């Protein structure tokens, strides 16, 4: 069979971009792809696929956001007065994520998803062990360099998980369950954040029970300083080391997963393997069971009996196929990005993720001081002899050495609550965990869970734009509320607003920026483009970390947090603009006839194959892209509605019209010479090189 299917070894090489109309696939492969889509769409939400992807995503979220748990303990032991150390750790962790997303996204498209799936977890496991065993303990001067190196390696593994988990989930899902599956995987991000906090809390309580940690007055008294540092040094190591446990379990599951048949067929050009692996996971489609000889199916496939009694659908021997571009050749990438203008999509996914992560990570990564400031009901307490912890029975209080009046540097970096300088490290960690769980984790989990429920009931592209807009307003409101109630008994108002922001992040933009890049790109470059988009997001998170650090270091106002809210609102507005202008609709509105003869409207998700048609395919349907083209259509629509006629648009309308005419010349004759069905149920006519709305 293999010799007949592949007479020329050169044809086994990876195929590249197949074109917006899939013209790069020969007729037999097109039939095979239809059969594969049919078999995938017979299934619904799949626990096996979800478990494999979700376990890895949970592990990576745990390890990434464990920063919020361990930085206070690291500061207490190793750099109590150096605020830049936390910046360095976060910076290199996020930089490693950028490298992992770009590198593994490319490699997964070139060599296969499952060949890479598991390697990133090996990196996480090895780096977790490296981080947890960094240095020989307290007093080692090489600690920061070693710790940062292993966090960078861990960042590579964390970043690799994004394109791999998203694309594998997307390609193995049925069309109707794709958004639900992807959002269920992404739900593991806030769950991982919460688990990291809870593990840190349980370890802390365990150490307190074993060593009476709180009674040692760790942090504010030097009498038991060495003992305290040894105990605290063990806490963060246990928290980080625990992250290897789910990674080891997740990597076991990945040995039992295969590349999706769509990738194996379209890119690897191995139809037999494509059907075999699909039916290994989902079983043969109904109607192919039983014994005895089986006739060929309507698509020309042959059904064979497997050794275990099941059946396997194989394609018939193929006729010679036309030459196609090789994957990642310059000509093929040019055709995909430039000639067919799919850079519109890539710009949309990358910029929306970038702007989202500027605000999201500015809110969520190393925000211990931010949360303490939001929860504070009074202004900062001055370090004076009036404090109850200024003196101790053994004259070993550490507080006087902090006071600027005594030549001190102020509160140590682990002491994030300036209103309670007498809190020990134990009390500080308990307080940080409580504030994070109630302000961030619960709201984020609720938001992600709500999206899972409504994933197929809302227009995802439009909801992404709307959620960015809502977050813009929420940030402005939160900033205003903060300035009005900061450091008063009404500070709970800001806390509630921030929790609502985190809910909306995960109910909208944060989840959708993960989902949409896994849907709208063709199979040959789906992982690469998702990796580029995710890397743009991590660059945004680096920008956020630098912005927050700069404001905290250089802006001395007691209400500087309000400036962060107002600044991040700008990024949310830009995210709304790019999602509106550069992303396609991933669903369509269809009308079903009811027994009463009425039409019932519902949303239908487009298949990966249809969305893989890219920019030209979307333009042929009447979708419009680009800032100028969008504004032109909106202006024409407004003019029509106010009765000022259908005056032709200027701007880039002529260019868009030319593209639509070019597509129409090769497209479906049923659309008419210059008529295209619009994505919103209307139509866009190309008249004299301009885009106009028809009269209603």
């Amino acid at each position: 069979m293999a010799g007949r299917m592949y007479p020329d070894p050169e044809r086994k090489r990876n195929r590249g971009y197949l074109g917006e109309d899939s013209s790069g696939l020969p007729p037999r492969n097109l039939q095979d792809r239809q059969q594969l889509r049919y078999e995938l769409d017979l299934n619904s939400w799949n626990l096996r696929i979800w478990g494999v992807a979700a376990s890895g995503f949970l592990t990576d979220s745990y390890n990434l956001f464990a920063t919020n748990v361990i930085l206070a303990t690291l500061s207490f032991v190793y750099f109590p007065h150096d605020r830049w150390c936390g910046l360095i750790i976060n910076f290199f962790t996020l930089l490693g994520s950028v490298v992992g997303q770009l590198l593994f996204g490319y490699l997964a498209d070139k060599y296969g998803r499952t060949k890479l799936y598991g390697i990133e977890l090996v990196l996480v496991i090895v780096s977790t062990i490296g981080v947890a065993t960094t240095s020989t303990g307290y007093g080692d001067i090489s600690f920061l360099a070693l710790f940062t190196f292993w966090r960078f390696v861990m960042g590579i593994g964390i970043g690799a998980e994004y394109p791999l988990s998203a694309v594998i989930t997307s390609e193995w899902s049925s069309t109707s369950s794709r958004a639900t599956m992807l959002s269920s995987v992404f739900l593991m991000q806030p769950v991982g954040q919460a688990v990291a906090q809870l593990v840190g809390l349980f370890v802390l309580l365990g150490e307190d029970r074993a060593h009476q940690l709180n009674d040692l007055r760790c942090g504010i008294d030097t009498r038991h300083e060495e003992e305290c540092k040894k105990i605290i040094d063990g806490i963060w190591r246990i928290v980080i080391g625990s992250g290897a446990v789910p990674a080891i379990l997740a990597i076991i599951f990945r040995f039992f997963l295969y590349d999706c048949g769509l990738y194996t067929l379209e890119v690897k050009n191995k139809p037999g393997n494509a059907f075999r692996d699909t039916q290994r996971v989902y079983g043969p489609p109904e109607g192919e069971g039983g014994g005895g000889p089986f006739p060929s199916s309507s698509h020309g496939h042959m059904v064979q009996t497997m050794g275990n009694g099941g059946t396997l659908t194989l394609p018939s021997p193929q006729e010679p196929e036309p030459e196609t571009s090789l994957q990642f050749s310059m000509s093929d990438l040019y055709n995909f990005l430039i000639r067919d203008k799919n850079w519109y999509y890539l710009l949309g996914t990358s910029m929306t993720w970038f702007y989202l992560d500027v605000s999201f990570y500015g809110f969520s990564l190393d925000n211990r001081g931010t949360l303490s400031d939001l929860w504070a009901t009074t202004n900062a307490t001055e370090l004076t002899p009036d404090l109850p912890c200024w003196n101790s029975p053994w004259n070993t209080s550490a507080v006087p050495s902090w006071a600027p009046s005594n030549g001190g540097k102020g509160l140590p970096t682990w002491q994030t609550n300036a209103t309670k300088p007498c809190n020990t490290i134990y009390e500080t960690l308990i307080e940080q965990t409580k504030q994070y769980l109630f302000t961030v984790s619960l709201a984020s989990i609720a938001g992600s869970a709500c999206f899972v429920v409504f994933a197929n009931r809302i227009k995802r592209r439009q909801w992404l734009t709307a959620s960015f807009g809502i977050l813009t307003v929420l940030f402005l409101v939160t900033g205003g509320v903060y300035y009005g109630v900061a450091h008063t008994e009404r500070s709970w108002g800001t806390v509630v607003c921030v929790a609502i922001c985190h809910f909306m992040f995960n109910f909208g933009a944060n989840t959708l920026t993960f989902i949409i890049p896994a849907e709208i790109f063709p199979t040959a470059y789906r992982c690469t483009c998702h990796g580029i988009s995710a890397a743009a997001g991590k660059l945004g998170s680096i920008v956020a970390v630098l912005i927050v650090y700069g404001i905290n270091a250089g802006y001395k106002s007691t209400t500087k947090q309000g400036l962060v809210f107002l600044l991040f609102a700008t990024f949310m507005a830009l995210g709304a603009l790019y999602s509106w202008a550069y992303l396609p609709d991933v669903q369509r509105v269809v009308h079903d006839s009811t027994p009463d003869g009425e039409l019932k409207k519902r949303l239908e998700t487009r298949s990966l194959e249809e969305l893989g048609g890219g920019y030209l395919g979307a333009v042929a349907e009447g979708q419009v892209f680009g800032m100028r083209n969008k504004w032109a259509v909106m202006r024409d629509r407004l003019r029509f509605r106010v009765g000022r006629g259908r005056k032709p648009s200027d701007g880039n309308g002529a260019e868009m019209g030319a593209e639509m005419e070019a597509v129409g010349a090769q497209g479906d004759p049923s659309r008419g010479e210059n008529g295209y069905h619009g994505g919103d149920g209307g139509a866009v006519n190309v008249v004299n090189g301009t885009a106009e709305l028809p009269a209603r």
Side-chain angles (χ1 to χ4, degrees):
M1 176 66 73
R4 296 169 63 189
M5 291 170 60
Y6 305 113
D8 183 0
E10 187 69 14
R11 288 172 55 196
K12 291 185 180 181
R13 298 181 64 179
N14 293 5
R15 285 186 288 206
Y17 179 49
L18 302 174
E20 59 90 15
D21 57 354
S22 297
S23 57
L25 280 177
R28 172 60 62 205
N29 281 178
L30 284 173
Q31 292 179 350
D32 291 337
R33 188 168 71 168
Q34 292 172 1
Q35 176 69 15
L36 280 170
R37 172 51 55 196
Y38 168 75
E39 293 187 16
L40 287 170
D41 285 351
L42 287 176
N43 303 279
S44 58
W45 197 90
N46 186 274
L47 180 61
R48 176 179 178 179
I49 301 299
W50 176 84
V52 171
S55 58
F57 211 72
L58 172 67
T59 299
D60 289 346
S61 177
Y62 176 97
N63 284 289
L64 178 61
F65 289 97
T67 298
N68 296 324
V69 182
I70 66 173
L71 271 184
T73 56
L74 289 172
S75 299
F76 177 82
V77 179
Y78 295 101
F79 32 85
H81 293 286
D82 295 323
R83 301 184 183 278
W84 57 269
C85 295
L87 173 67
I88 293 298
I89 292 171
N90 282 330
F91 177 85
F92 278 96
T93 303
L94 295 172
L95 184 62
S97 296
V98 172
V99 173
Q101 287 159 343
L102 293 174
L103 178 63
F104 277 75
Y106 162 76
L107 293 176
D109 276 338
K110 186 172 180 63
Y111 296 107
R113 285 67 161 119
T114 54
K115 286 187 177 180
L116 278 298
Y117 211 33
I119 295 178
E120 87 286 1
L121 284 179
V122 172
L123 286 176
V124 170
I125 293 169
V126 172
S127 59
T128 297
I129 296 172
V131 169
T133 57
T134 297
S135 83
T136 56
Y138 167 62
D140 192 327
I141 61 173
S142 66
F143 169 81
L144 182 60
L146 286 170
F147 187 93
T148 302
F149 168 76
W150 284 118
R151 285 292 288 182
F152 176 80
V153 175
M154 183 183 291
I156 295 176
I158 291 171
E161 188 71 31
Y162 279 75
L164 287 170
S165 288
V167 170
I168 286 174
T169 303
S170 175
E171 291 178 347
W172 272 113
S173 301
S174 65
T175 302
S176 61
S177 68
R178 190 174 67 233
T180 305
M181 289 277 287
L182 283 166
S183 56
S184 297
V185 170
F186 193 77
L187 173 62
M188 294 300 102
Q189 185 186 77
V191 171
Q193 295 179 43
V195 170
Q197 294 290 330
L198 292 173
V199 169
L201 176 62
F202 292 147
V203 173
L204 179 64
L205 294 175
E207 292 293 337
D208 180 54
R209 188 177 300 109
H211 303 286
Q212 290 73 49
L213 184 60
N214 195 35
D215 295 337
L216 297 177
R217 293 167 56 85
C218 295
I220 62 173
D221 198 304
T222 60
R223 185 183 183 200
H224 302 285
E225 182 176 9
E226 292 299 316
E227 183 180 357
C228 287
K229 288 189 174 182
K230 289 179 180 179
I231 296 172
I232 299 301
D233 190 57
I235 290 176
W236 71 262
R237 294 178 190 273
I238 297 173
V239 172
I240 285 292
S242 300
V245 177
I248 293 173
L249 297 176
I251 203 170
I252 294 174
F253 293 124
R254 297 189 177 183
F255 287 117
F256 304 99
L257 190 65
Y258 316 96
D259 280 331
C260 180
L262 296 175
Y263 174 83
T264 306
L265 171 67
E266 292 185 31
V267 181
K268 291 296 187 181
N269 194 16
K270 296 179 179 179
N273 291 352
F275 284 98
R276 179 198 65 197
D277 293 341
T278 299
Q279 295 179 12
R280 278 177 173 177
V281 172
Y282 286 120
E286 293 183 8
E288 295 186 3
F294 296 92
S296 298
S297 71
S298 60
H299 289 291
H301 297 93
M302 300 172 62
V303 183
Q304 297 182 355
T305 302
M306 300 173 65
N308 60 3
T311 59
L312 176 64
T313 302
L314 294 175
S316 299
Q318 295 183 338
E319 68 274 10
E321 65 177 58
E323 290 187 7
T324 58
S325 298
L326 293 180
Q327 197 179 21
F328 296 109
S329 66
M330 292 304 297
S331 61
D332 201 53
L333 289 173
Y334 176 86
N335 291 338
F336 170 63
L337 290 173
I338 308 302
R339 185 197 68 186
D340 287 2
K341 296 185 180 296
N342 287 301
W343 64 266
Y344 275 88
Y345 282 17
L346 191 57
L347 179 65
T349 56
S350 298
M351 294 307 296
T352 51
W353 210 329
F354 174 86
Y355 290 126
L356 181 278
D357 275 9
V358 170
S359 297
F360 179 74
Y361 280 88
F363 252 35
S364 302
L365 196 64
D366 190 22
N367 58 2
R368 301 160 297 131
T370 299
L371 289 177
S372 293
D373 181 74
L374 297 179
W375 282 67
T377 56
T378 63
N379 289 319
T381 302
E382 295 185 6
L383 299 176
T384 66
D386 296 331
L387 291 173
C389 56
W390 185 268
N391 296 304
S392 72
W394 307 277
N395 294 322
T396 53
S397 176
V399 178
S401 64
W402 303 343
S405 59
N406 292 338
K409 298 181 180 179
L411 291 175
T413 54
W414 59 265
Q415 179 56 278
T416 52
N417 191 343
T419 68
K420 298 178 180 179
C422 289
N423 276 1
T424 65
I425 181 64
Y426 173 84
E427 293 168 331
T428 299
L429 293 174
I430 291 290
E431 185 178 71
Q432 289 176 1
T433 302
K434 177 190 70 174
Q435 291 171 350
Y436 194 95
L437 288 173
F438 284 105
T439 309
V440 180
S441 294
L442 292 179
S444 297
I445 292 173
S448 291
C450 285
F451 187 90
V452 173
V453 174
F454 291 99
N456 288 319
R457 304 179 187 180
I458 54 179
K459 295 182 178 180
R460 292 197 285 279
R461 197 271 300 169
Q462 289 86 339
W463 178 237
L464 175 59
T465 303
S467 63
F468 269 122
I470 294 170
L471 282 166
T472 302
V473 175
L474 284 175
F475 272 78
L476 293 174
V477 170
T478 303
V481 171
Y482 175 84
Y483 278 117
V485 304
H487 309 148
T488 69
E489 294 294 335
R490 295 174 295 168
S491 61
W492 58 265
T494 309
V495 174
V496 171
C497 287
V498 170
I500 294 173
C501 287
H502 280 288
F503 174 88
M504 185 52 61
F505 267 129
N506 286 275
F507 185 43
N510 193 30
T511 303
L512 283 165
T513 51
F514 175 80
I515 292 177
I516 291 178
E519 297 184 295
I520 65 175
F521 294 106
T523 304
Y525 301 121
R526 189 170 289 127
C527 259
T528 300
C529 292
H530 194 284
I532 293 172
S533 305
K538 284 299 178 285
L539 289 175
S541 66
I542 292 174
V543 170
V545 169
L546 295 175
I547 289 175
V548 172
Y549 179 83
I551 291 176
N552 289 334
Y555 190 43
K556 302 304 180 183
S557 171
T558 58
T559 56
K560 55 190 173 185
Q561 183 58 38
L563 176 63
V564 174
F565 291 127
L566 300 180
L567 181 62
F568 284 169
T570 305
F571 290 103
M572 292 294 93
L574 290 171
L577 196 61
Y578 274 88
S579 64
W580 168 72
Y582 292 102
L583 293 180
D585 292 325
V586 295
Q587 299 148 293
R588 66 168 65 85
V589 176
V590 296
H591 296 83
D592 296 327
S593 298
T594 64
D596 301 332
E598 299 180 355
L599 293 179
K600 185 178 180 181
K601 196 165 62 171
R602 65 177 175 87
L603 281 176
E604 180 181 77
T605 301
R606 302 171 192 259
S607 69
L608 292 178
E609 296 78 18
E610 184 179 359
L611 290 169
Y615 173 85
L616 292 182
V619 167
E621 293 181 343
Q623 298 186 53
V624 182
F625 299 90
M627 301 285 185
R628 295 179 64 181
N629 292 337
K630 285 279 191 177
W631 286 120
V633 171
M634 286 187 64
R635 186 170 62 249
D636 286 341
R637 184 176 297 168
L638 180 62
R639 286 172 176 168
F640 171 76
R641 288 180 177 175
V642 298
R644 295 168 65 180
R646 293 185 290 159
K647 185 178 179 180
S649 322
D650 51 12
N652 267 357
E655 177 188 350
M656 182 189 69
E659 292 170 1
M660 294 169 70
E661 287 184 341
V663 174
Q666 309 172 29
D668 187 350
S670 65
R671 289 172 174 162
E673 182 180 357
N674 290 320
Y676 298 85
H677 293 291
D680 293 326
V684 176
N685 290 332
V686 179
V687 182
N688 298 324
T690 62
E692 295 187 348
L693 293 175
R696 295 184 179 178

